Amino acid sequence: MPLQRQAILLAALWWGGITALSFLAVPLLFASLGSPAVAGPVAAKVFSLQCRVGLVLGLALLLILRRWRGEATAIAPAALTTMGFVLFAMLLALLQDFGVAQNIVTARASGGNLRLWHAVGSVMVLGQWLCAGAVLWRVSGASGGRNQAR
């Protein structure tokens, strides 16, 4: 399978997974389970899984983009930009999973500022979604009809 197709597949899985889990499944949990105390821990597990899958997909994309860039005769700055989007999304996933999630649990248990930590987590999910979407756009060559990842 050519590198571009591999990159498109991984980017689509990443962006689609964030879309499905964050914007469909988690709101459905809160609507269906009725109580935030019941839905919250389940949503936390969904977000943790999403972050970890995002890290794996991001790492695979970085490896593909590195190989892809190596095949190019001239190294375009656009390839570095695409890699930057991947790295930034991965950083957000790490911070969300190992920083914000713990602060949400602590705030819930201690009566801390739960609203603040939920807002920070939501911004991080939105950032990951935007970065994954930008990567998908760039590797699919949809911008201007030429391949932006190279």
Side-chain angles (χ1 to χ4, degrees):
M1 181 185 297
L3 292 178
Q4 182 181 11
R5 288 187 181 182
Q6 292 174 10
I8 290 170
L9 178 61
L10 291 174
L13 286 171
W14 195 6
W15 184 81
I18 294 170
T19 301
L21 294 175
S22 297
F23 303 125
L24 297 173
V26 170
L28 184 61
L29 280 173
F30 282 93
S32 299
L33 296 178
S35 166
V38 175
V42 178
K45 289 181 182 188
V46 168
F47 281 124
S48 182
L49 175 66
Q50 174 187 302
C51 286
R52 291 164 195 235
V53 169
L55 290 171
V56 171
L57 292 172
L59 181 60
L61 270 165
L62 286 174
L63 292 172
I64 289 170
L65 290 169
R66 185 169 180 254
R67 277 188 46 208
W68 193 357
R69 195 182 91 181
E71 289 179 1
T73 54
I75 298 174
L80 294 176
T81 303
T82 304
M83 292 173 115
F85 279 122
V86 172
L87 287 169
F88 189 63
M90 291 173 70
L91 175 64
L92 288 173
L94 281 170
L95 291 172
Q96 178 189 344
D97 200 27
F98 296 107
V100 174
Q102 186 57 46
N103 284 318
I104 289 173
V105 170
T106 302
R108 185 175 290 127
S110 67
N113 197 342
L114 188 59
R115 176 177 257 174
L116 168 71
W117 289 110
H118 271 281
V120 171
S122 295
V123 168
M124 288 185 165
V125 168
L126 181 61
Q128 291 172 63
W129 182 75
L130 290 171
C131 286
V135 171
L136 177 57
W137 184 266
R138 296 173 73 82
V139 299
S140 69
S143 178
R146 55 179 206 254
N147 191 338
Q148 295 294 311
R150 282 192 130 177

